[in-house]
Amino acid sequence: MRRLFFLSVLFLALFGCSKSEAESNDVAVSSVMVPPPPPAGASESNRKDQDLNESSKTKIPQKIIKQGSLRFETDNLENTYNQIQKAVSDNKARIINDSEGKDYNSVYRSLTVKVPSQNFDRFINNVSKGVSYFEVKNISAEDVTEQFIDLTSRLHTKKKLEERYLQILQKATKVSEILEIEKQISAIREEIESKEGQLKYLESRVSESTVTIDFYKTIAEKEGIKISYGSKIWNALKSGFYSLSDFLISLISVWPFVILFCVFAYFIRRRLKRRKKE
């Protein structure tokens, strides 16, 4: 009887230990939870303050996007183009678009140039040499420092959140938790890549300025000066001959009316003669 009692007590003790160990394992697994995302409108002011604090620590330089647009008349397209090419070479710029054409009274050329921002002012001055008058000269500078700081801070926050999810992923044991964490990591990675692309685009616009240059040459008056006086007389004679030819052709086209007019004039003249005789 005593042996049976001791065996039952030992069985209950072992069963209780295994149950407590299983409960402790469940608690350990359930403790690995996915951190909830921060509310959309909450702590916006705190985030901005944090952005300013981080920017003051990192000391991000001022980000300026410069752009220019020039249009002017020139006496020699080739010389002007050579001058612009020299300015491009001296300022380490590059021509990304070059087009030319002709309208009723001028020939023109249009260039789009990418210039390093630090050489922007010097490039404009080099191109402007010898230009007496600009029909269009627009120079703009847009400060995007705040936008750059905001994107940088958001990117930093997303990368920290990604690190937290990766740490939690290493501790997760349930398949449902692993799938949920990997889903969140994938969404965060897409946002990180999007913001990195925005930063690269913004940085490229800051590092290189865009300048459009339109220059043209008026040809109508200059060609008229080159025509000699004898050529003008010859052109006038040819024009008169063509006008006379057109008049004769127009008379031929109305020959029935001419005949009727002649017959009518003949009878009227004959009648007038008869009245004089009477």
Side-chain angles (χ1 to χ4, degrees), residues 1-6:
M1 190 70 180
R2 288 183 178 180
R3 289 182 179 179
L4 182 62
F5 176 75
F6 283 118

Side-chain angles (χ1 to χ4, degrees), residues 245-260:
S245 300
D246 293 338
F247 177 72
L248 293 176
I249 291 173
S250 63
L251 287 179
I252 293 174
S253 63
V254 296
W255 64 268
F257 299 99
V258 175
I259 293 175
L260 289 175

Side-chain angles (χ1 to χ4, degrees), residues 14-48:
L14 292 174
F15 180 76
C17 291
S18 62
K19 184 176 180 182
S20 61
E21 183 179 359
E23 290 178 352
S24 63
N25 290 335
D26 291 340
V27 171
V29 172
S30 62
S31 62
V32 180
M33 299 297 292
V34 178
S43 67
E44 183 67 22
S45 60
N46 294 334
R47 188 186 64 79
K48 289 184 177 180

